[in-house]
Amino acid sequence: FTLEEEEGEDENGEEIVGFFQKRERFVNWIPLTHFVLWDQVQCYGFKYLNAGKVEVFHRGEYFNGPYLVRLGILLHAKYVIWATEKHINSKLFATDDLG
């Protein structure tokens, strides 16, 4: 895997991590064989934007494998997007009463 990180400044002039990205390759084999079930590269991280906003990303860069495996990964990704948005937008996330 590879990591990229860039420093930046926030609106108050304080030094922050302005960009972070991790790129990772996953190769899954059929057990007890030398056959690749799938080979994929995922990239995820964040970028600090103006006015205290942060862009978070997670994307697939490459996939090689059977269509049904890819379809399963796609359905899982759609579920993760839905569940993450539901959690982040819920009353339980980022409440003032943390302790």
Side-chain angles (χ1 to χ4, degrees), residues 8-25:
E9 290 184 355
D10 65 7
E11 58 273 359
N12 298 325
E14 294 184 35
E15 238 181 67
I16 60 167
V17 176
F19 173 80
F20 172 82
Q21 175 175 284
K22 181 177 181 181
R23 189 172 180 269
E24 190 166 3
R25 182 178 181 198

Side-chain angles (χ1 to χ4, degrees), residues 1-97:
F1 68 89
T2 60
L3 296 174
E4 294 179 44
E5 188 175 296
E6 295 176 10
E7 293 185 6
E9 290 184 355
D10 65 7
E11 58 273 359
N12 298 325
E14 294 184 35
E15 238 181 67
I16 60 167
V17 176
F19 173 80
F20 172 82
Q21 175 175 284
K22 181 177 181 181
R23 189 172 180 269
E24 190 166 3
R25 182 178 181 198
F26 299 93
V27 181
N28 292 14
W29 303 86
I30 296 175
L32 306 173
T33 72
H34 296 292
F35 296 105
V36 175
L37 187 55
W38 74 78
D39 181 0
Q40 67 178 339
V41 174
Q42 296 285 322
C43 179
Y44 51 93
F46 67 88
K47 181 178 182 179
Y48 186 82
L49 304 173
N50 294 333
K53 293 185 179 184
V54 177
E55 174 188 9
V56 178
F57 59 88
H58 184 184
R59 61 182 171 265
E61 292 185 358
Y62 168 82
F63 179 86
N64 184 23
Y67 179 75
L68 288 177
V69 173
R70 182 173 181 180
L71 182 60
I73 291 170
L74 177 67
L75 292 174
H76 176 262
K78 296 288 185 186
Y79 167 75
V80 170
I81 290 168
W82 173 81
T84 302
E85 287 180 352
K86 185 174 176 95
H87 175 67
I88 287 174
N89 293 322
S90 75
K91 293 179 181 178
L92 300 174
F93 189 81
T95 63
D96 290 335
D97 185 21

